[in-house]
């Protein structure tokens, strides 16, 4: 895959970085995902609004690098209009692909976007006292390295 | 779009006079300085002149104390490994360095550490200045080398190197300094500083890349790293990079001549920039010493934003600067320099280095001051950390 050899941001990444979609907060969210930590240099806060099982709105706030902002923007674009179950299919790989790839050292940002989304959906289930089908690996980001850079895709 | 280059600590453009001086050595004067014939003599003479120009810039008593290398990294490696190897059969195996050294020093020492040498990292204060008492306390009977950089590449802080030199001399220990960032920018004299070994590089002073020099005080015992022919008085084998050496020589000559004017120019521009940034932008802190600094270097942390996002945004506006944020490297850890001066990681992630050069103008600084606040504000507007802080402020908690 292209991204393995990429060292620069794709045009798509730069577009989403310079004109990020869905920046902001949802006043009355159905779920919020808050992942990352400032020590590692990136935090994503993702808000979703769910109506009749469909994600009708998604917004984000991100402290992080260009890739972190671009993946946040992309993941919020991707979830809108999807059912919660469909949204759970979104992975760091699909976000990365939609962005035309990411430099290898930036892959952890895409993992963070997946985590933010899953965490928001998890929160949605919890707010309704429903058992959550979401499995979020805990505290992995504490080590500031979610992506094993030796691992080839 | 007009581009404004404010990353001169990374590299500088080649001075037109430097380029003009170099070109003949790619053309008619292409000789190998080791050749006996006229081509060789022309090249040899050019190298001799350059060696004098470099010696003159740093106050070396003899041009023979200068050897040409491939740049700052090789000079640092040569100084440190060369000293370590020359003492390898003796009892000494201890090296003292500052915690804010360039990786060329830091990683060379780490390499030696894995091979049985002992390395002590000194402490620095919040400005990045070493503590002389801490240095005295760190010295042991086995200490063979102290290596403290003259001025820091990231924050610009200048060390009290002459004081270090006195201590090193009293204790009979060699002193190396990585002066890559200070040479040509501030007055520097190897005797006044009391250094035995000094690294410098051409491309930081409007010379070409791939060429540098190591000053080796007469009588200093040091092993060679590269073995081969009898070049550089047996200290550094390999056919001399004549155009590069000529370029370094010319750049040194110009740096000496223009130093005072450049210093004044750069100091006034950076002070204008510093004052403007601190006036226009909230939650910003200056890193490095506010006065004991290189005249061209400023480093700021813009809280609640990440440095790579900031430099990318500035780049889109034509402003080229750099960051100590982890996100520009693969490491995910912010700069060791910013960590050593006690910056919390989240603040270090938002750092930006602005390093000016001789060609920058007041008009360019005005443009930066017009542009920077809106760039910072755009990123803060999407930062959850900033949102949290503003919420607390609104609630009257801060």
């Amino acid at each position: 895959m292209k991204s393995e050899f990429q060292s620069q941001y794709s045009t798509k990444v730069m577009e989403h970085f310079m004109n990020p979609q869905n920046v902001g907060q949802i006043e009355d969210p159905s779920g919020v995902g808050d992942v990352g930590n400032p020590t590692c240099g990136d935090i994503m806060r993702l808000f979703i609004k769910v109506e009749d099982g469909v994600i009708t709105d998604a917004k984000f706030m991100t402290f992080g690098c260009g890739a972190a902002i671009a993946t946040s923007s992309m993941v919020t674009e991707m979830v809108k209009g999807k059912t919660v179950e469909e949204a759970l299919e979104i992975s760091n790989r699909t976000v990365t692909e939609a962005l035309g790839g990411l430099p290898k050292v930036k892959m952890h940002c895409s993992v963070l976007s997946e985590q933010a989304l899953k965490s928001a959906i998890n929160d949605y289930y919890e707010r309704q006292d429903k058992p959550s089908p979401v499995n979020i690996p805990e505290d992995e980001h504490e080590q500031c390295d979610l992506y094993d850079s030796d691992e080839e895709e | 779009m007009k581009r404004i280059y404010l990353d001169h600590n990374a590299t500088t453009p080649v001075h037109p006079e430097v380029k003009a001086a170099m070109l003949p050595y790619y053309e008619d004067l292409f000789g190998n300085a080791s050749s006996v014939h006229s081509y060789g003599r022309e090249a040899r003479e050019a190298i001799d002149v350059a060696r004098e120009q470099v010696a003159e810039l740093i106050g070396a008593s003899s041009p023979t104390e200068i050897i040409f290398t491939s740049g700052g990294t090789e000079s640092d490696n040569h100084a440190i490994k060369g000293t370590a190897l020359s003492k390898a059969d003796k009892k000494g195996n201890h090296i003292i360095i500052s915690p804010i050294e360039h990786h060329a020093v830091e990683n060379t020492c780490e390499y030696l550490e894995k091979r049985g040498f002992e390395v002590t990292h000194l402490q620095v204060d919040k400005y990045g200045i070493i503590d002389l008492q801490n240095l005295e306390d760190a010295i042991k009977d086995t200490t063979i080398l102290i290596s403290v950089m003259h001025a820091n590449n990231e924050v610009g802080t200048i060390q009290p190197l002459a004081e270090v030199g006195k201590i090193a001399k009293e204790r009979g220990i060699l002193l190396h300094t990585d002066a890559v960032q200070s040479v040509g920018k501030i007055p520097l004299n190897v005797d006044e500083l009391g250094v035995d070994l000094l690294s410098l590089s051409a491309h930081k002073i409007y010379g070409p890349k791939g060429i540098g020099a190591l000053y080796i005080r007469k009588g200093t015992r040091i092993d060679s790293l590269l073995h081969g022919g009898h070049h550089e008085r047996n200290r550094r084998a390999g056919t001399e990079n004549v155009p590069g050496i000529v370029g370094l020589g010319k750049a040194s000559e110009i740096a000496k001549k223009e130093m005072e004017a450049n210093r004044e120019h750069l100091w006034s521009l950076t002070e204008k920039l510093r004052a403007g940034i601190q006036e226009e932008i909230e939650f910003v802190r200056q890193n490095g010493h506010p006065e004991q600094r290189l005249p061209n270097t400023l480093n700021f942390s813009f809280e609640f934003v990440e440095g790579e996002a900031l430099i990318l945004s500035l780049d889109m506006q034509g402003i080229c600067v750099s960051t100590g944020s982890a996100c520009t490297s693969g490491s995910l850890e912010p700069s060791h320099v910013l960590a050593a001066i006690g910056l919390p990681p989240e603040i270090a992630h938002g750092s930006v280095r602005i390093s000016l050069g001789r060609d920058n103008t007041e008009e360019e600084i005005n443009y930066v001051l017009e542009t920077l606040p809106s760039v910072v504000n755009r990123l803060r507007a999407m930062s959850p950390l900033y949102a949290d802080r503003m919420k607390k402020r609104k609630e009257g908690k801060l």
Side-chain angles (χ1 to χ4, degrees), chain B residues 111-128:
Chain B
Y111 168 85
L112 289 172
E113 213 170 6
K114 284 183 189 149
R115 277 149 190 85
F117 286 85
E118 188 191 352
V119 179
T120 299
H121 291 79
L122 298 172
Q123 290 151 11
V124 287
D125 65 13
K126 63 176 178 175
Y127 299 122

mmCIF file of all heavy atoms in Angstrom, chain B residues 111-128:
data_model
loop_
_atom_site.group_PDB
_atom_site.id
_atom_site.type_symbol
_atom_site.label_atom_id
_atom_site.label_comp_id
_atom_site.label_asym_id
_atom_site.label_seq_id
_atom_site.Cartn_x
_atom_site.Cartn_y
_atom_site.Cartn_z
ATOM 1 N N TYR B 111 26.562 5.793 22.304
ATOM 2 C CA TYR B 111 27.283 4.701 21.639
ATOM 3 C C TYR B 111 28.480 4.269 22.484
ATOM 4 O O TYR B 111 28.714 3.070 22.704
ATOM 5 C CB TYR B 111 27.726 5.183 20.249
ATOM 6 C CG TYR B 111 28.722 4.295 19.542
ATOM 7 C CD1 TYR B 111 28.302 3.203 18.786
ATOM 8 C CD2 TYR B 111 30.092 4.551 19.616
ATOM 9 C CE1 TYR B 111 29.211 2.402 18.131
ATOM 10 C CE2 TYR B 111 31.009 3.756 18.965
ATOM 11 C CZ TYR B 111 30.569 2.680 18.217
ATOM 12 O OH TYR B 111 31.474 1.873 17.576
ATOM 13 N N LEU B 112 29.224 5.255 22.966
ATOM 14 C CA LEU B 112 30.405 4.936 23.782
ATOM 15 C C LEU B 112 30.008 4.294 25.111
ATOM 16 O O LEU B 112 30.693 3.415 25.627
ATOM 17 C CB LEU B 112 31.228 6.201 24.035
ATOM 18 C CG LEU B 112 31.977 6.755 22.827
ATOM 19 C CD1 LEU B 112 32.602 8.109 23.159
ATOM 20 C CD2 LEU B 112 33.056 5.775 22.347
ATOM 21 N N GLU B 113 28.885 4.748 25.644
ATOM 22 C CA GLU B 113 28.396 4.206 26.916
ATOM 23 C C GLU B 113 28.160 2.698 26.799
ATOM 24 O O GLU B 113 28.465 1.933 27.710
ATOM 25 C CB GLU B 113 27.097 4.927 27.287
ATOM 26 C CG GLU B 113 26.893 5.102 28.763
ATOM 27 C CD GLU B 113 25.725 6.028 29.076
ATOM 28 O OE1 GLU B 113 25.003 6.450 28.154
ATOM 29 O OE2 GLU B 113 25.533 6.317 30.270
ATOM 30 N N LYS B 114 27.618 2.310 25.647
ATOM 31 C CA LYS B 114 27.340 0.887 25.424
ATOM 32 C C LYS B 114 28.634 0.098 25.280
ATOM 33 O O LYS B 114 28.631 -1.128 25.325
ATOM 34 C CB LYS B 114 26.496 0.714 24.157
ATOM 35 C CG LYS B 114 25.049 1.085 24.364
ATOM 36 C CD LYS B 114 24.256 0.822 23.092
ATOM 37 C CE LYS B 114 22.847 1.391 23.217
ATOM 38 N NZ LYS B 114 22.335 1.828 21.909
ATOM 39 N N ARG B 115 29.730 0.810 25.056
ATOM 40 C CA ARG B 115 31.020 0.144 24.892
ATOM 41 C C ARG B 115 31.934 0.377 26.085
ATOM 42 O O ARG B 115 33.150 0.400 25.947
ATOM 43 C CB ARG B 115 31.663 0.590 23.588
ATOM 44 C CG ARG B 115 31.114 -0.205 22.427
ATOM 45 C CD ARG B 115 31.080 0.577 21.151
ATOM 46 N NE ARG B 115 30.321 -0.181 20.146
ATOM 47 C CZ ARG B 115 28.996 -0.141 20.040
ATOM 48 N NH1 ARG B 115 28.293 0.612 20.851
ATOM 49 N NH2 ARG B 115 28.381 -0.852 19.122
ATOM 50 N N GLY B 116 31.336 0.619 27.237
ATOM 51 C CA GLY B 116 32.115 0.647 28.469
ATOM 52 C C GLY B 116 32.510 2.009 28.987
ATOM 53 O O GLY B 116 33.095 2.109 30.063
ATOM 54 N N PHE B 117 32.216 3.059 28.244
ATOM 55 C CA PHE B 117 32.520 4.388 28.774
ATOM 56 C C PHE B 117 31.393 4.833 29.698
ATOM 57 O O PHE B 117 30.262 4.355 29.598
ATOM 58 C CB PHE B 117 32.699 5.397 27.625
ATOM 59 C CG PHE B 117 34.008 5.206 26.898
ATOM 60 C CD1 PHE B 117 34.116 4.284 25.867
ATOM 61 C CD2 PHE B 117 35.130 5.937 27.270
ATOM 62 C CE1 PHE B 117 35.318 4.081 25.211
ATOM 63 C CE2 PHE B 117 36.343 5.742 26.615
ATOM 64 C CZ PHE B 117 36.443 4.817 25.578
ATOM 65 N N GLU B 118 31.759 5.758 30.589
ATOM 66 C CA GLU B 118 30.752 6.262 31.523
ATOM 67 C C GLU B 118 30.421 7.697 31.125
ATOM 68 O O GLU B 118 31.316 8.494 30.869
ATOM 69 C CB GLU B 118 31.329 6.227 32.939
ATOM 70 C CG GLU B 118 30.322 6.533 34.010
ATOM 71 C CD GLU B 118 30.980 6.751 35.374
ATOM 72 O OE1 GLU B 118 32.201 6.518 35.509
ATOM 73 O OE2 GLU B 118 30.262 7.178 36.285
ATOM 74 N N VAL B 119 29.128 7.999 31.045
ATOM 75 C CA VAL B 119 28.720 9.338 30.615
ATOM 76 C C VAL B 119 27.847 9.982 31.689
ATOM 77 O O VAL B 119 26.899 9.371 32.181
ATOM 78 C CB VAL B 119 27.940 9.291 29.276
ATOM 79 C CG1 VAL B 119 27.499 10.693 28.857
ATOM 80 C CG2 VAL B 119 28.792 8.643 28.185
ATOM 81 N N THR B 120 28.208 11.200 32.087
ATOM 82 C CA THR B 120 27.386 11.955 33.033
ATOM 83 C C THR B 120 26.711 13.105 32.297
ATOM 84 O O THR B 120 27.376 13.849 31.579
ATOM 85 C CB THR B 120 28.251 12.532 34.176
ATOM 86 O OG1 THR B 120 28.853 11.441 34.881
ATOM 87 C CG2 THR B 120 27.411 13.359 35.138
ATOM 88 N N HIS B 121 25.399 13.213 32.485
ATOM 89 C CA HIS B 121 24.659 14.346 31.939
ATOM 90 C C HIS B 121 24.495 15.390 33.035
ATOM 91 O O HIS B 121 23.984 15.077 34.102
ATOM 92 C CB HIS B 121 23.276 13.911 31.449
ATOM 93 C CG HIS B 121 23.306 13.043 30.232
ATOM 94 N ND1 HIS B 121 23.606 11.711 30.286
ATOM 95 C CD2 HIS B 121 23.096 13.333 28.932
ATOM 96 C CE1 HIS B 121 23.566 11.214 29.053
ATOM 97 N NE2 HIS B 121 23.262 12.192 28.210
ATOM 98 N N LEU B 122 24.914 16.604 32.753
ATOM 99 C CA LEU B 122 24.763 17.681 33.736
ATOM 100 C C LEU B 122 23.305 18.116 33.801
ATOM 101 O O LEU B 122 22.484 17.700 32.988
ATOM 102 C CB LEU B 122 25.635 18.874 33.328
ATOM 103 C CG LEU B 122 27.140 18.603 33.279
ATOM 104 C CD1 LEU B 122 27.857 19.797 32.687
ATOM 105 C CD2 LEU B 122 27.676 18.296 34.669
ATOM 106 N N GLN B 123 23.025 18.983 34.773
ATOM 107 C CA GLN B 123 21.682 19.563 34.841
ATOM 108 C C GLN B 123 21.727 20.955 34.229
ATOM 109 O O GLN B 123 22.777 21.589 34.210
ATOM 110 C CB GLN B 123 21.232 19.680 36.304
ATOM 111 C CG GLN B 123 20.956 18.335 36.936
ATOM 112 C CD GLN B 123 21.198 18.347 38.439
ATOM 113 O OE1 GLN B 123 21.369 19.400 39.045
ATOM 114 N NE2 GLN B 123 21.215 17.151 39.021
ATOM 115 N N VAL B 124 20.573 21.416 33.764
ATOM 116 C CA VAL B 124 20.467 22.807 33.303
ATOM 117 C C VAL B 124 19.300 23.471 34.026
ATOM 118 O O VAL B 124 18.384 22.793 34.490
ATOM 119 C CB VAL B 124 20.236 22.918 31.773
ATOM 120 C CG1 VAL B 124 21.498 22.574 31.004
ATOM 121 C CG2 VAL B 124 19.063 22.062 31.309
ATOM 122 N N ASP B 125 19.348 24.789 34.104
ATOM 123 C CA ASP B 125 18.233 25.514 34.717
ATOM 124 C C ASP B 125 17.117 25.706 33.683
ATOM 125 O O ASP B 125 17.191 25.172 32.565
ATOM 126 C CB ASP B 125 18.710 26.840 35.323
ATOM 127 C CG ASP B 125 19.229 27.832 34.285
ATOM 128 O OD1 ASP B 125 19.001 27.614 33.066
ATOM 129 O OD2 ASP B 125 19.865 28.827 34.676
ATOM 130 N N LYS B 126 16.117 26.493 34.048
ATOM 131 C CA LYS B 126 14.948 26.631 33.161
ATOM 132 C C LYS B 126 15.285 27.327 31.845
ATOM 133 O O LYS B 126 14.514 27.281 30.896
ATOM 134 C CB LYS B 126 13.808 27.358 33.876
ATOM 135 C CG LYS B 126 14.146 28.786 34.276
ATOM 136 C CD LYS B 126 12.935 29.471 34.902
ATOM 137 C CE LYS B 126 13.313 30.879 35.340
ATOM 138 N NZ LYS B 126 12.167 31.633 35.847
ATOM 139 N N TYR B 127 16.446 27.987 31.807
ATOM 140 C CA TYR B 127 16.853 28.632 30.559
ATOM 141 C C TYR B 127 17.754 27.725 29.712
ATOM 142 O O TYR B 127 18.088 28.058 28.581
ATOM 143 C CB TYR B 127 17.621 29.926 30.851
ATOM 144 C CG TYR B 127 16.812 30.955 31.603
ATOM 145 C CD1 TYR B 127 17.255 31.440 32.832
ATOM 146 C CD2 TYR B 127 15.611 31.427 31.082
ATOM 147 C CE1 TYR B 127 16.515 32.389 33.524
ATOM 148 C CE2 TYR B 127 14.864 32.373 31.779
ATOM 149 C CZ TYR B 127 15.319 32.847 32.995
ATOM 150 O OH TYR B 127 14.584 33.774 33.674
ATOM 151 N N GLY B 128 18.184 26.629 30.313
ATOM 152 C CA GLY B 128 19.085 25.729 29.594
ATOM 153 C C GLY B 128 20.549 25.971 29.901
ATOM 154 O O GLY B 128 21.435 25.486 29.199
#
